[in-house]
Each structure stands twice: as structure tokens, then as C-alpha cells.
Amino acid sequence: MSAYAFTEEELARIEAFCRRYPTRQSAIMPTLWLAQEKFGELSPPVLELVAKTLGLPPAHVEGVATFYSMYLTKRKGKWLLELCTCFTCGECGGRELWNYIQETLQLNEEGVTPDGLFWFREAECLGACDTPPVLQIEGRRMVFSVTPEKLENVLKGLRAGQLPPFESVPIRNPE
Ligand code: FES
């Protein structure tokens, strides 16, 4: 089997995505996500595989993959961590935390630590402004009200290959 191929089970999942929508083109986003989870990034051969599997023009698939920041056409570090520095998070500790991260982890100009383990990016609002600042990991986990201590714990877990447990966005009930 080529290095760039979906398994039978993955193909079945993609077909299930296609059945949810009126056209195969509409299944492009979940299929790109599945491909990214499998291959780590959406490099040109992965984009070609997605295009072939869905029967779409490669340029169309590339257009979607390069439009949304959650898709990585080139992975720069093993773990992607995105800190929200948008208005609320930025004003409520996010900006200071970003400076702390840059200084203590010695990020290069691309936001990557010297060992290539962590790749940091600033994020726009992640939709959890009630619990600033917010950190998103690999687009799959969110950490709320991040402090340097909380961040150090997250990094410790990631060094051991562990994502933090899933936490829903906390919703406060107005009283
Ligand atoms: S401003 Fe950071 S989650 Fe909204």
C-alpha cells in the first residue's frame, strides 16, 4: 500500500461523510480533517489523495485546505498550540502569557521551540471569551483560564505524549 492511502475503514468513514450531504464536494472538510489526523499535515500528496477519493479537482481541495487555519498544509512542530490573544483574552492575560511563552520557550520566528516539539501560534477568538486566556491544542482540546503553571502542566503532559482531557467550553448561567 502506498504511504498515502486511506484504509478500508477510513474510506467507509469518508463515504459516510458523503452520504450526509447532497454532493461529494460538501464532504471535503471532514475528509480533510480525517486526512490531517492520519498524516499529521495536508502535504501535496495528501491533498491529491483527498481530491482523488472525493472525485474533486485538486485545486478545489487545495483552496479549502489553505483557506482555513485549522488545516495544516505544513506542520512545523510536533504539537500545535494556539493561544488566543484576541481582544478579551489579550486584555485578560493572553498578551502577557504570549510574551512569557516566547521568552521562556525560546520560540524561533515560526513559533517553534528549539527541540521542534511545540509549535505556538496566536489565535483569533476561540469562542470561550468567558474564561480567558484560552489555549487550543491540535484543534482538539481547549484549556481555559491559562496561567504559566497550567501551561507548564500541559507541556509536561504533551512531552509524555498525552493530550489534556477533553473539557467543554464552560457556560456560566446568568443569575
Ligand atoms: S477572545 Fe479569546 S476566546 Fe474569545
Side-chain angles (χ1 to χ4, degrees):
M1 183 183 283
S2 139
Y4 296 104
F6 290 122
T7 63
E8 288 301 316
E9 194 221 327
E10 288 157 352
L11 287 170
R13 284 180 63 198
I14 292 167
E15 287 311 308
F17 297 150
C18 291
R19 285 196 295 276
R20 284 188 208 158
Y21 306 106
T23 65
R24 292 179 74 77
Q25 180 171 323
S26 304
I28 193 166
M29 293 188 74
T31 306
L32 281 172
W33 188 255
L34 185 154
Q36 181 166 295
E37 294 270 290
K38 177 183 172 87
F39 298 107
E41 64 179 11
L42 298 170
S43 60
V46 177
L47 292 176
E48 263 174 50
L49 173 68
V50 169
K52 201 169 133 210
T53 306
L54 292 174
L56 297 173
H60 181 82
V61 174
E62 188 182 347
V64 175
T66 53
F67 182 78
Y68 294 100
S69 62
M70 67 191 201
Y71 296 124
L72 311 175
T73 50
K74 185 165 169 39
R75 178 173 286 276
K76 296 178 182 167
K78 180 169 180 198
W79 296 101
L80 171 63
L81 299 101
E82 296 173 291
L83 181 71
C84 178
T85 52
C86 208
F87 186 72
T88 309
C89 288
E91 287 298 306
C92 299
R95 190 51 45 206
E96 289 81 357
L97 191 60
W98 181 249
N99 293 338
Y100 169 86
I101 289 167
Q102 285 187 306
E103 283 159 26
T104 58
L105 295 173
Q106 301 173 315
L107 305 185
N108 68 15
E109 66 285 351
E110 296 204 285
V112 182
T113 51
D115 57 7
L117 213 46
F118 304 117
W119 170 23
F120 281 88
R121 297 197 304 200
E122 289 181 80
E124 293 300 325
C125 180
L126 293 167
C129 321
D130 212 18
T131 52
V134 178
L135 180 73
Q136 178 171 255
I137 304 159
E138 287 292 321
R140 283 186 272 148
R141 292 290 193 282
M142 286 169 84
V143 183
F144 307 102
S145 307
V146 186
T147 58
E149 296 70 34
K150 242 183 168 175
L151 175 72
E152 291 303 337
N153 268 336
V154 167
L155 299 184
K156 192 171 158 200
L158 294 177
R159 282 191 189 98
Q162 286 167 352
L163 276 170
F166 177 81
E167 246 189 286
S168 301
V169 177
I171 310 271
R172 283 186 212 158
N173 291 321
E175 302 202 22

